[in-house]
Amino acid sequence: MFLTISYADAQSAIRQAPQPVWRAGDAPGGPGQLGHFPRPDKIAFGTTMTTPLWFTAVDGALSELYYPHVDRVQTQSSFLLIREGNRVIDERRGFSHHATRFPRSSAYHIRSAGDGVVINKIIQVSVPHHAAVIDYTVEFKSSAARELAFVHNPAAEGTPGGDTIQAEELRDVGRGLLAFQADVRGDEPEGMLPFSKQFVTWTLPVTSVNMGFEGVNSPFERPFDDANVYMRAQFGNVAGALYHKTTEARLRFRVVLAFSAEKDWQSHLAQQIKSLKAVPVETLIAQQQAQWSQYLNQLAYDKSDALLENSIIVLKSCEDKIVTGAFIAAPANPGIPWMWETVEQDYEKSRRRLEDTGNGGYHRVWPRDLYHKALALLAVGDVRTPLNVARWYKAVQLSSGKPGSWAQNMWVNGQPSWTGMQLDQVGFPIVLVGRLVELKAANYDEFRDMVNRAAEFIMRVGPWTEQERWEENGGLSPNSMAAAVEGLMAAAWLESARDQKRAQAYLNKAQEWTANLKAWTLIRQGAFGENYIARFELGHNGSWNPQHHSYFRIANKRPGQQDHYREDEILDGGFLQWILAGLVGPKDSEFSNTIRLYDQHVRRKTYAGLGYIRYNHDSYGENHVGGAWPLLSAERGIAAIERGEDFREHLLLMQNMSTSAHLIAEQDTLSVRPLAWSHGAYILFKKSIQDRRSFYIPRRNLR
């Protein structure tokens, strides 16, 4: 299965092969049309510990690449086409794909079988180079005349237009495809700089090339058009292809996609690619295994659990290499996360990263779930990364608009994207600092200003939240209220040795809200009977009255579907945060009753077992049907641990929902995969099983 490539042999084959005719001329039809990013349920996601490059794969082929930041998508897709007689074989279509991960690495082997062809590929990022490497072995049933095309569709600097792709020859490397963002006006935000060049080549002799515009004349719309060959497509939504003719029944070759943000990009790219062509695939894998092992060996976790190990790797992989502490939610394309292929964003808005761009995808930082990721890494003994998270929180805390809080989500450099406010995302950073100080892993003086600004914001705004954790409704959310109380209690503990008056004020407010929890959120008589906790309370006449059942809107409904329900008709699991954090007794009667109703009405069958949707009547999912979230099974399982109940079915669902490469999705249906929060939840679940207590509870509260 492994492939060792001799650079000298490859160059000799290129010299002996028929040389292509390099025709001048630009492709017509620019700027092309808006294209589609690949589906979000990736079968592979990888990087190294140090290289600022990330790859994804879906449908057996390379999909989005990110460089030099984890929030900066650079490509849409790169894939193999084969012409065999009158048919064209696409490695993404008509094949069954099976992906596995090499242990202690994020290098993947993908086997694609079908259409009389078996394609084995090893995809990884090189440790010493800014390059993604694909080692192909393509096997046909027999020898015959065939032509291969490797198609590259860039989305340079995260934009769907303004790109150029052209045939280029690098010294000591040979021919390939050069792509870059050509529309550089100098008014781009800091987070879009520096711009980079990307170069695609392979070890097969290049017999021809072609370029075009998406939706007009790109190489995947006219894959083997010998009559219309263009050397360049510029200023638009572009794609290009490398071609190779063969009669072999078995082909082994390497594709390299290298990046450079250097001023002398030609020599930088050439140096990387030349050295990569001579490195055996085994060596590349061993290099990153050595890196990942050095990190993993410092941690304390069950080494026999491959899903646990990969969850740690996935989490760490979602962190930016330059802006440490900034973790994206998932390496997924822009658009609605469960759509098969989502349309690329408006060019001008995506170029400027404007607030009203729409959905910039999951490759942004959500301060809310960033906390869960940091806590998960803390659970396995990584102290440095959560400390970097706390420092990122400090660096990007808002100083205007909603001072003391954080934006709903941000790019890794702290530029706000969506600007909604959730108390969750204000309370949790304080809690993280408390956990770090408790472990003597942080000096409170470094974070004191951040903590007090956040706590004062909670005191000033809470218990109302503009959004609950599902970002759909505002009011009083039991989940957000729990996060706010956790934050205030952590702030009180942190301040207790510095400012007793301030600490007491924080503690008093936390105790007041805790004492009023049931008065404000417990439904005495409603659609599900008596004494259960509401998903959230809208508020009535300036007060919280859960006995007054107002109507509110459920988002994501299909046109024509009912989208308004009474407060007492909707249940979710947000109330469990009070148990997970140790704020209420785990067997409190009203909480126990709500758990019974939650299990009865918010749980459904999946291919992996019984799982939990976000709330009953949820429509956030494929075909406007709410999917089951594995992270909710983790929360329910941790609550079961606190209650002394059997947690195993919840653990089994998470394990059954992971792929052969140990990736966990957002939902059980078509959705973003991997979701970092899902992997963090699995780690926290396993740690809570080990400790026999919820890891969300500060350890100082257990003593």
Side-chain angles (χ1 to χ4, degrees):
M1 182 176 70
F2 292 131
L3 168 63
T4 301
I5 296 172
S6 164
Y7 177 66
D9 289 348
Q11 291 301 302
S12 175
I14 290 172
R15 287 192 295 270
Q16 296 172 22
Q19 297 303 298
V21 177
W22 293 79
R23 306 180 189 181
D26 288 354
Q33 301 174 7
L34 288 177
H36 293 79
F37 278 95
R39 54 191 287 169
D41 52 334
K42 310 306 182 186
I43 62 173
F45 165 55
T47 184
T48 73
M49 283 291 294
T50 54
T51 315
L53 175 64
W54 297 257
F55 79 86
T56 61
V58 70
D59 291 327
L62 207 63
S63 47
E64 298 95 333
L65 291 169
Y66 299 85
Y67 176 87
H69 292 285
V70 71
D71 66 351
R72 184 98 65 88
V73 65
Q74 294 286 0
T75 69
Q76 189 231 68
S77 55
S78 306
F79 53 92
L80 190 67
L81 297 178
I82 303 167
R83 177 166 67 176
E84 189 176 68
N86 293 324
R87 70 171 184 156
V88 174
I89 301 169
D90 185 331
E91 72 169 323
R92 305 168 302 168
R93 312 284 183 247
F95 284 80
S96 61
H97 307 289
H98 184 266
T100 54
R101 179 181 59 88
F102 288 92
R104 296 203 149 208
S105 80
S106 58
Y108 289 76
H109 170 244
I110 301 175
R111 184 179 189 275
S112 303
D115 228 351
V117 186
V118 176
I119 304 175
N120 283 288
K121 66 215 88 173
I122 296 171
I123 308 178
Q124 59 186 308
V125 170
S126 170
V127 170
H129 309 96
H130 292 186
V133 181
I134 314 174
D135 287 295
Y136 275 99
T137 301
V138 184
E139 298 178 278
F140 302 98
K141 288 184 177 179
S142 61
S143 301
R146 299 180 179 91
E147 186 170 14
L148 275 64
F150 189 78
V151 179
H152 182 60
N153 188 347
E157 315 309 335
T159 56
D163 287 357
T164 287
I165 191 166
Q166 62 192 43
E168 190 82 13
E169 187 160 359
L170 291 180
R171 184 177 179 179
D172 297 328
V173 170
R175 303 172 180 90
L177 307 174
L178 177 71
F180 53 93
Q181 174 54 251
D183 183 1
V184 181
R185 304 180 202 173
D187 61 347
E188 294 82 8
E190 180 188 353
M192 294 293 282
L193 302 174
F195 288 140
S196 61
K197 299 291 194 296
Q198 48 188 270
F199 192 83
V200 183
T201 186
W202 58 5
T203 53
L204 292 172
V206 178
T207 52
S208 62
V209 296
N210 212 344
M211 318 294 155
F213 292 95
E214 193 163 353
V216 181
N217 52 15
S218 74
F220 51 85
E221 282 146 337
R222 51 180 189 88
F224 296 93
D225 183 355
D226 300 324
N228 299 286
V229 178
Y230 304 105
M231 296 291 290
R232 180 173 62 181
Q234 62 175 335
F235 304 118
N237 201 9
V238 302
L242 301 170
Y243 296 88
H244 171 73
K245 293 181 179 179
T246 184
T247 59
E248 298 295 322
R250 189 170 189 264
L251 288 168
R252 295 164 56 170
F253 56 94
R254 171 173 289 174
V255 173
V256 177
L257 290 86
F259 291 80
S260 177
E262 303 289 332
K263 287 184 179 180
D264 188 11
W265 56 266
Q266 292 99 330
S267 60
H268 185 227
L269 287 170
Q271 181 183 18
Q272 293 186 85
I273 297 167
K274 181 180 178 180
S275 60
L276 265 173
K277 284 184 175 180
V279 180
V281 65
E282 300 95 332
T283 300
L284 291 176
I285 295 170
Q287 285 173 339
Q288 68 160 284
Q289 283 178 323
Q291 270 199 344
W292 282 113
S293 291
Q294 185 177 15
Y295 172 67
L296 293 169
N297 288 343
Q298 301 172 34
L299 308 182
Y301 66 97
D302 179 1
K303 305 297 192 296
S304 67
D305 187 341
L307 177 57
L308 183 59
E309 178 185 281
N310 197 50
S311 291
I312 297 169
I313 291 174
V314 166
L315 274 195
K316 189 64 177 170
S317 297
C318 286
E319 183 185 17
D320 196 70
K321 304 292 197 327
I322 301 169
V323 185
T324 55
F327 286 67
I328 58 169
N333 54 275
I336 300 172
W338 60 82
M339 290 186 66
W340 285 84
E341 292 179 324
T342 52
V343 177
E344 292 170 320
Q345 300 295 299
D346 172 85
Y347 169 58
E348 187 61 29
K349 291 180 179 179
S350 58
R351 186 182 72 84
R352 295 294 309 282
R353 286 187 164 175
L354 298 178
E355 181 183 330
D356 62 347
T357 298
N359 195 333
Y362 276 33
H363 51 272
R364 292 172 293 177
V365 186
W366 267 259
R368 173 203 61 217
D369 51 301
L370 177 58
Y371 160 73
H372 298 279
K373 301 166 198 172
L375 193 64
L377 291 176
L378 201 63
V380 293
D382 180 348
V383 174
R384 177 174 296 180
T385 303
L387 180 59
N388 286 336
V389 170
R391 286 172 173 158
W392 184 85
Y393 277 136
K394 178 186 176 183
V396 303
Q397 189 177 25
L398 298 178
S399 57
S400 61
K402 299 168 185 174
S405 69
W406 286 265
Q408 180 179 355
N409 57 42
M410 301 175 169
W411 302 101
V412 298
N413 71 334
Q415 178 188 348
S417 184
W418 291 352
T419 57
M421 186 282 292
Q422 305 163 26
L423 282 184
D424 314 50
Q425 69 206 29
V426 188
F428 284 147
I430 306 174
V431 179
L432 178 62
V433 171
R435 297 297 290 266
L436 290 167
V437 172
E438 175 185 65
L439 291 171
K440 295 181 172 51
N443 186 329
Y444 178 47
D445 289 338
E446 181 180 354
F447 301 100
R448 189 181 180 200
D449 180 65
M450 181 198 92
V451 165
N452 285 318
R453 291 174 62 211
E456 293 296 336
F457 179 89
I458 294 172
M459 296 265 286
R460 184 170 66 250
V461 173
W464 176 85
T465 184
E466 184 179 309
Q467 297 177 343
E468 34 75 66
R469 70 169 171 171
W470 302 130
E471 305 179 310
E472 295 175 357
N473 299 99
L476 194 152
S477 158
N479 180 271
S480 298
M481 191 175 164
V485 168
E486 289 178 72
L488 289 175
M489 293 181 74
W493 178 75
L494 288 165
E495 276 294 300
S496 60
R498 307 299 174 87
D499 187 330
Q500 280 287 346
K501 184 177 179 180
R502 177 180 279 169
Q504 194 61 50
Y506 295 157
L507 185 59
N508 289 346
K509 186 61 69 174
Q511 291 174 339
E512 174 194 334
W513 289 352
T514 300
N516 281 293
L517 170 66
K518 292 181 181 178
W520 290 343
T521 67
L522 188 68
I523 296 172
R524 297 296 179 186
Q525 186 66 51
F528 297 104
E530 300 178 349
N531 299 330
Y532 60 93
I533 297 168
R535 173 189 164 198
F536 73 91
E537 168 63 25
L538 284 172
H540 312 280
N541 299 321
S543 64
W544 311 111
N545 183 2
Q547 314 321 319
H548 186 287
H549 308 314
S550 296
Y551 281 85
F552 69 96
R553 182 177 178 272
I554 296 291
N556 303 298
K557 290 290 186 181
R558 185 184 296 112
Q561 282 186 316
Q562 179 184 351
D563 64 354
H564 280 75
Y565 293 86
R566 290 202 323 257
E567 294 166 323
D568 64 312
E569 294 177 313
I570 303 297
L571 294 166
D572 85 335
F575 69 96
L576 290 174
Q577 184 63 31
W578 290 84
I579 293 176
L580 269 55
L583 300 175
V584 301
K587 294 191 176 181
D588 175 278
S589 59
E590 283 86 5
F591 273 80
S592 296
N593 186 49
T594 311
I595 288 175
R596 178 183 63 82
L597 295 171
Y598 177 60
D599 289 347
Q600 182 178 348
H601 297 284
V602 194
R603 206 175 185 197
R604 70 170 180 80
K605 289 182 179 179
T606 74
Y607 65 87
L610 288 173
Y612 295 88
I613 60 177
R614 298 188 308 166
Y615 51 80
N616 57 317
H617 301 295
D618 182 19
S619 291
Y620 185 73
E622 189 178 5
N623 298 319
H624 297 275
V625 177
W629 290 51
L631 70 88
L632 296 178
S633 290
E635 291 181 354
R636 180 65 182 89
I638 296 172
I641 293 170
E642 283 295 300
R643 289 168 56 81
E645 299 169 345
D646 192 345
F647 57 80
R648 288 174 296 180
E649 62 175 323
H650 308 297
L651 181 67
L652 189 61
L653 177 130
M654 295 196 78
Q655 293 170 338
N656 289 344
M657 207 174 280
S658 69
T659 68
S660 58
H662 305 114
L663 300 180
I664 312 177
E666 176 189 73
Q667 303 174 32
D668 67 313
T669 55
L670 178 63
S671 63
V672 166
R673 183 177 64 215
L675 183 72
W677 191 358
S678 295
H679 285 278
Y682 184 73
I683 295 170
L684 288 166
F685 194 0
K686 289 296 296 268
K687 177 61 173 175
S688 299
I689 292 170
Q690 176 186 323
D691 291 355
R692 300 183 181 179
R693 294 302 307 268
S694 168
F695 193 73
Y696 283 101
I697 301 173
R699 271 26 203 168
R700 62 183 177 271
N701 293 347
L702 296 181
R703 291 194 289 268

